[in-house]
Amino acid sequence: MGQDLGIDLRKELGLRGGSNENDGSSTAGLIESFPPPPPPAKEPHHMMAKKKPSHSSLNSTSPTEPPNRPLPPRPVSKLGGGLSRSTTNASGFTAITPLPPPSLPPPSVPPPSVPAPNRPPPPKPLPLSVRPQVPLGMNPPTRPGTSTTAKTTTSAATAMEPPPFSTTDSKPRMSWTSTAASSLNVPRRIKYGQGKYSSVELVPQPSDDPDDPLNWPTWRKEVNFWSLMLMVAMTGVTKTIFMTVNAQVSQLYGVSYTAAAALTGVPLILSAITGLGCLIAARMVGKRPFYLGSLISFFIGTVWSTNVGFEGAYGQCMAARVFQGLGWGAWDALVLGSIQDTFFEHERNIKITIHAITTTATLWFPPILGGVASQSSAGFTLQFTILSSFFALAIPAIALGCPETVFDRAYTLSAAASAAPTPGTGLSGFGLTGTGRYKTSLPLAPYRLLSWETACTYLAKLHPYTYSTPISPSLLLQAPRAMLAPTTLLIFLVSFLPISALWSFSSSLSLIFHPLPLSLPPSSIGLFFFGPFLLSLIPVITFNYFYRKYSTIFTSTPKTHLFVTAVGLVLSFIGILTFSLHISSSLTPDPDSLMATGAKVNLPAVGFVFGLLAMGAATLEHGLQRVTIGESTAFTSRNLGVKMRNEVDMGFGVEFYRKVMMGVFVMGTQTGNWVVFEGLMGLGLGLGVAVVVLGGGLATGWWLWGGMIKGGDGWAVGGVDLGEMGNEGAGIKRSGSFFDTD
């Protein structure tokens, strides 16, 4: 093509060459810059002889053909150093002889290669005690070879080509896993959200299996979530259902007030034990079996409680409460893990906030309505009758709307990398063989919302037992080791006194205000719970929704957990001391005063200081626990999967210790001396001083040895190798990217 263009330009310049003699040299130079045309192909002499025309043939004409006339002579360039020479033969034809092609320039010599610079070897890692404290979760390591401008969708397929190392190309981002897939050098395509989250990288990265809970459709995730919230609300109602009627229960059954308070304390202790068992066993068999078992136990206890409202039925009532306590454990320990299994990081914050609000609101609001319902002829059993009606919705919701959420994504990635069958979530006949290995998932069929095939496929995935993994000592000890972490123990020691005091005072309201001289009915006693209900929601929303939404504000200030601890301890101290001293001084008879006993009690003020105590307890429970555990796991977890697991384990570890102490305080602080209110004053003074001394001492230790405490957390959960003091190899046990699966 370039040669044809040169020939055309030569023709054009040859025609115009004589128009301007001054431009001849420049035009000739331009013509010389083009490559010469190829020489014409030579033909055999016998062909040339046949094709040579004669005068007679050129001039002869026929009536059917046009006359054969010679073509006009070809114009000859007048430029010096032209491209061709012209000669005229005897016949009058002008012959054009092309010039020989110019000599080609010598080939270019490649430049000499520059040797690579000698770089010094990377420095050795610093010891843990000297290493700067930068949390992995807040400043995660960057994936190698990723592009920050590419966008894909959640349905992106796994790419088998190596990941790009340029940050300016437009190829999809790749990530190398730290699981078995990395040993096979198989990268995964980075997946993003959809809609308004199309630029958000999905954390954690889902697998390509449609049975992965992260790949469920939105309606299925929401049904699962709200079914769990229904059971969380129902269990929360039964925990404080006797708060306003303990005095009536004591009179009905003819037992002491301590025995009546045991109907609340014993289930709390049992729920802590069963919750720990469910948390450990769920790692091996999944969560769904324990959800179904807890639903059955809770249903038996609640329905049984509707028929214990007669004299001499204390034993039956306690047995029913035992069944309820056994059913509380799974809903207290496993729901947060199910939320993490189902939702991505950018979707999880609002779900965790709803869970926290549901847990808190269903503890302190139902006594307000329960006190009114208990004044009927049916007594306190009417509360259980109303609650039992919700099982018509709860049973099908849990049975049909809560599939198994435990999913082994590490096995899925390794199986995909080695072209092995992809795991599902079913047993033999439902996707899982008898040996615990998964079968290959069936290909996706055309989706239809309502059809017999769709219903059968969905019901097949609702098998009660759909997950299994080999039992190992390390798997069994994950939750117990997190419970023994220094941060877990410190949070418990700082927060258990205010929370235990809140539950103790709540159980004693009926003992204080139902007898003479006030003789308040259950409906009036229930009004005291307005303060805890309203004021406790402030720290719950602040430290669950706004902490995650504005995490940079909370983490920009060093020692944020110490500030949260100070606020919670001050509010708890004010609530404990004011509640106990005001009631004791107002209800103790004064022989020198003409005012009737009980007339000096300011009931709205009592409800307000009771709410301050609940606000301080909620600040320590949600604020301190959320900030401190999140900071600790961000420092000590080697990847995101371990971080989320440690958050659940350490959080329930704190709750386990607190529930045991709450049950002990509820049963052990209801003494007969409260009739003259001497015990209430002593209890308030002792708890107030202990809260300040114990909390202040632990906060000081936190301030001085915070780094060592975090290192102890990592050693306890197995995420940090402390080694010997000063060992340069000590540090976090890394395994690939922070965002990889466990």
Side-chain angles (χ1 to χ4, degrees):
M1 180 178 179
Q3 294 177 354
D4 298 337
L5 180 61
I7 295 173
D8 295 339
L9 288 176
R10 291 188 191 94
K11 293 179 180 180
E12 183 69 17
L13 293 175
L15 293 174
R16 300 179 182 179
S19 61
N20 191 350
E21 296 181 356
N22 296 332
D23 298 335
S25 60
S26 60
T27 308
L30 179 61
I31 296 176
E32 291 293 337
S33 64
F34 290 95
K42 296 183 178 181
E43 297 181 356
H45 294 282
H46 63 280
M47 295 297 295
M48 295 178 62
K50 292 181 180 180
K51 291 185 178 181
K52 185 175 181 180
S54 60
H55 287 281
S56 60
S57 62
L58 290 174
N59 296 329
S60 62
T61 58
S62 64
T64 59
E65 295 181 0
N68 294 328
R69 297 186 179 88
L71 296 175
R74 184 174 181 179
V76 181
S77 173
K78 297 181 180 181
L79 299 176
L83 295 175
S84 59
R85 299 187 183 93
S86 60
T87 58
T88 306
N89 54 13
S91 303
F93 288 92
T94 302
I96 300 175
T97 306
L99 292 176
S103 60
L104 298 176
S108 60
V109 180
S113 60
V114 180
N118 295 327
R119 296 183 175 88
K124 296 182 179 180
L126 297 175
L128 185 63
S129 58
V130 184
R131 191 172 302 165
Q133 299 293 322
V134 180
L136 289 177
M138 301 175 185
N139 189 14
T142 306
R143 291 187 177 90
T146 58
S147 171
T148 58
T149 59
K151 296 181 181 179
T152 60
T153 60
T154 56
S155 60
T158 303
M160 302 304 294
E161 62 271 8
F165 288 88
S166 173
T167 58
T168 59
D169 58 5
S170 59
K171 296 181 180 179
R173 297 178 61 186
M174 302 293 180
S175 173
W176 294 87
T177 65
S178 63
T179 56
S182 62
S183 62
L184 300 173
N185 295 330
V186 178
R188 287 187 296 142
R189 189 184 297 273
I190 301 299
K191 301 177 182 179
Y192 289 76
Q194 294 179 344
K196 65 178 181 179
Y197 299 109
S198 59
S199 61
V200 176
E201 181 178 334
L202 297 179
V203 177
Q205 284 285 295
S207 65
D208 296 327
D209 195 323
D211 290 334
D212 189 344
L214 294 176
N215 294 329
W216 287 354
T218 303
W219 68 266
R220 191 175 180 185
K221 292 183 178 182
E222 294 297 330
V223 169
N224 177 75
F225 173 74
W226 290 109
S227 299
L228 295 176
M229 290 302 102
L230 176 61
M231 288 304 304
V232 169
M234 293 180 66
T235 55
V237 170
T238 55
K239 292 177 182 178
T240 56
I241 202 168
F242 284 105
M243 293 294 189
T244 59
V245 295
N246 276 331
Q248 288 86 341
V249 171
S250 176
Q251 296 173 5
L252 176 64
Y253 294 143
V255 296
S256 64
Y257 197 87
T258 302
L263 295 173
T264 301
V266 170
L268 285 174
I269 299 175
L270 289 177
S271 66
I273 298 174
T274 56
L276 178 60
C278 292
L279 188 63
I280 296 175
R283 305 289 167 81
M284 296 170 287
V285 297
K287 299 182 176 67
R288 181 169 169 81
F290 299 102
Y291 284 153
L292 296 177
S294 298
L295 174 63
I296 295 173
S297 178
F298 183 64
F299 174 77
I300 294 174
T302 305
V303 175
W304 195 353
S305 297
T306 61
N307 194 29
V308 295
F310 55 90
E311 297 181 5
Y314 178 78
Q316 295 188 34
C317 185
M318 178 59 74
R321 293 292 285 176
V322 167
F323 274 96
Q324 293 176 29
L326 294 175
W328 295 347
W331 310 110
D332 295 339
L334 303 180
V335 172
L336 185 58
S338 294
I339 295 175
Q340 292 183 349
D341 294 340
T342 311
F343 294 96
F344 296 104
E345 181 69 20
H346 65 278
E347 303 171 333
R348 199 179 299 148
N349 185 42
I350 185 64
K351 304 302 180 182
I352 294 178
T353 304
I354 294 175
H355 173 249
I357 293 175
T358 303
T359 303
T360 304
T362 53
L363 280 178
W364 306 119
F365 184 75
I368 301 173
L369 303 178
V372 177
S374 298
Q375 291 188 209
S376 63
S377 58
F380 68 90
T381 58
L382 181 60
Q383 300 183 65
F384 291 100
T385 303
I386 297 174
L387 185 64
S388 298
S389 63
F390 286 91
F391 281 107
L393 180 61
I395 292 177
I398 298 300
L400 302 178
C402 292
E404 182 60 68
T405 59
V406 179
F407 191 85
D408 191 357
R409 296 182 185 89
Y411 175 79
T412 305
L413 297 175
S414 62
S418 59
T422 305
T425 54
L427 276 174
S428 178
F430 296 92
L432 183 67
T433 63
T435 59
R437 306 301 292 177
Y438 289 93
K439 295 181 179 179
T440 307
S441 299
L442 296 177
L444 295 178
Y447 178 75
R448 288 179 292 176
L449 182 61
L450 296 176
S451 67
W452 176 255
E453 182 181 359
T454 304
C456 292
T457 303
Y458 181 78
L459 292 176
K461 298 179 181 180
L462 297 178
H463 199 273
Y465 178 65
T466 61
Y467 180 83
S468 178
T469 189
I471 301 176
S472 63
S474 60
L475 193 64
L476 293 174
L477 294 177
Q478 285 178 352
R481 292 179 66 175
M483 294 174 58
L484 297 178
T487 296
T488 304
L489 298 176
L490 286 175
I491 295 175
F492 160 69
L493 293 175
V494 170
S495 61
F496 87 95
L497 283 177
I499 297 176
S500 299
L502 174 63
W503 280 77
S504 175
F505 290 164
S506 301
S507 299
S508 64
L509 288 176
S510 183
L511 174 63
I512 296 173
F513 295 106
H514 179 70
L516 294 173
L518 295 177
S519 299
L520 296 181
S523 58
S524 299
I525 296 175
L527 297 178
F528 288 110
F529 289 90
F530 262 118
F533 168 67
L534 296 177
L535 296 181
S536 63
L537 288 179
I538 297 176
V540 169
I541 298 174
T542 301
F543 292 105
N544 284 279
Y545 181 75
F546 292 105
Y547 171 72
R548 179 76 64 171
K549 191 176 182 64
Y550 304 102
S551 58
T552 55
I553 299 177
F554 287 92
T555 57
S556 61
T557 304
K559 309 298 182 183
T560 306
H561 58 281
L562 297 179
F563 174 75
V564 175
T565 302
V567 173
L569 292 177
V570 169
L571 292 175
S572 302
F573 175 77
I574 295 173
I576 291 173
L577 212 60
T578 307
F579 180 87
S580 58
L581 294 181
H582 175 71
I583 293 178
S584 178
S585 62
S586 300
L587 296 181
T588 300
D590 187 3
D592 299 332
S593 177
L594 299 178
M595 186 177 296
T597 303
K600 297 182 293 183
V601 178
N602 190 340
L603 297 180
V606 171
F608 177 73
V609 297
F610 189 40
L612 288 181
L613 174 58
M615 186 176 181
T619 301
L620 296 175
E621 180 180 0
H622 294 272
L624 177 62
Q625 182 171 328
R626 186 75 181 269
V627 174
T628 309
I629 291 180
E631 186 177 355
S632 174
T633 55
F635 272 93
T636 59
S637 302
R638 62 179 179 267
N639 57 50
L640 184 62
V642 175
K643 180 181 184 297
M644 294 191 299
R645 185 192 69 206
N646 289 340
E647 285 181 351
V648 175
D649 293 344
M650 295 175 69
F652 182 78
V654 176
E655 189 175 357
F656 172 83
Y657 297 131
R658 280 200 299 240
K659 280 187 175 182
V660 174
M661 296 306 300
M662 285 159 50
V664 171
F665 267 72
V666 166
M667 294 184 292
T669 56
Q670 316 299 330
T671 62
N673 292 332
W674 284 29
V675 177
V676 292
F677 304 105
E678 295 176 357
L680 179 60
M681 180 182 294
L683 178 65
L685 290 173
L687 287 176
V689 173
V691 164
V692 174
V693 174
L694 182 61
L698 293 174
T700 303
W702 233 327
W703 180 279
L704 298 176
W705 301 292
M708 296 180 61
I709 292 173
K710 295 174 185 176
D713 294 339
W715 175 81
V717 300
V720 171
D721 185 11
L722 295 181
E724 297 180 359
M725 187 62 65
N727 182 12
E728 295 183 355
I732 298 174
K733 296 179 180 179
R734 299 280 186 91
S735 61
S737 173
F738 178 79
F739 296 92
D740 289 339
T741 55
D742 184 10

